[in-house]
Amino acid sequence: MQATTTVLVYSDDANTREQVRLATGRRPAPDVPLVEFLECATPAAVLTELERGGVDVCVLDGEAVPMGGMGLCRQIKDEIFNCPPVLLLMGRPQDAWLATWSRAEAAVTLPVEPVEFANALASLLRRKALAGA
């Protein structure tokens, strides 16, 4: 198992980014690596970090402005070669169809519920590790 994994967190709201960090802790589950965060407040910053490489999972805020995480997710799935898996933060459970449209691998609702979020993130990290093995 690698020593750390990199999780990119996109939200224009610093409180949302903090909720993600707190829900994850040092690692979302005992069987996944320690997490290092890359925080981005703009879509341009997300694209720059993804083009740089080294991101294992993206957490995108569907309620972010000026560009929501759903639209950004669809864009990065089209534009970034070997795009990392995406965990989408949705404003309402009824938006699950939009998460599917955006091609996100997982989605949870806001505000971040720590156990639900950690389970979803750990699942994506496990899948990423299996795909890389």
Side-chain angles (χ1 to χ4, degrees):
M1 176 166 48
Q2 70 187 64
T4 62
T5 189
T6 302
V7 175
L8 182 145
V9 182
Y10 164 67
S11 179
D12 65 313
D13 184 347
N15 291 325
T16 300
R17 295 192 308 267
E18 181 182 33
Q19 286 178 37
V20 167
R21 285 192 321 273
L22 292 173
T24 304
R26 294 186 57 191
R27 63 173 49 151
D31 62 330
V32 298
L34 295 172
V35 171
E36 291 182 0
F37 293 100
L38 275 175
E39 293 188 36
C40 298
T42 66
V46 171
L47 293 173
T48 298
E49 292 297 340
L50 289 175
E51 288 169 359
R52 186 174 297 150
V55 174
D56 296 300
V57 173
C58 296
V59 177
L60 306 179
D61 180 0
E63 304 300 308
V65 285
M67 182 176 204
M70 292 180 203
L72 183 57
C73 179
R74 190 159 175 101
Q75 179 181 347
I76 65 175
K77 292 295 183 177
D78 286 340
E79 295 179 4
I80 303 296
F81 180 70
N82 285 335
C83 184
V86 174
L87 173 53
L88 194 60
L89 304 174
M90 306 178 302
R92 322 172 299 154
Q94 297 90 333
D95 292 336
W97 71 273
L98 285 169
T100 301
W101 168 85
S102 72
R103 293 184 272 180
E105 284 76 7
V108 297
T109 55
L110 288 167
V112 173
E113 194 284 311
V115 173
E116 177 189 25
F117 179 84
N119 287 338
L121 181 59
S123 176
L124 290 180
L125 292 171
R126 287 183 197 109
R127 280 196 277 177
K128 175 95 170 150
L130 287 174

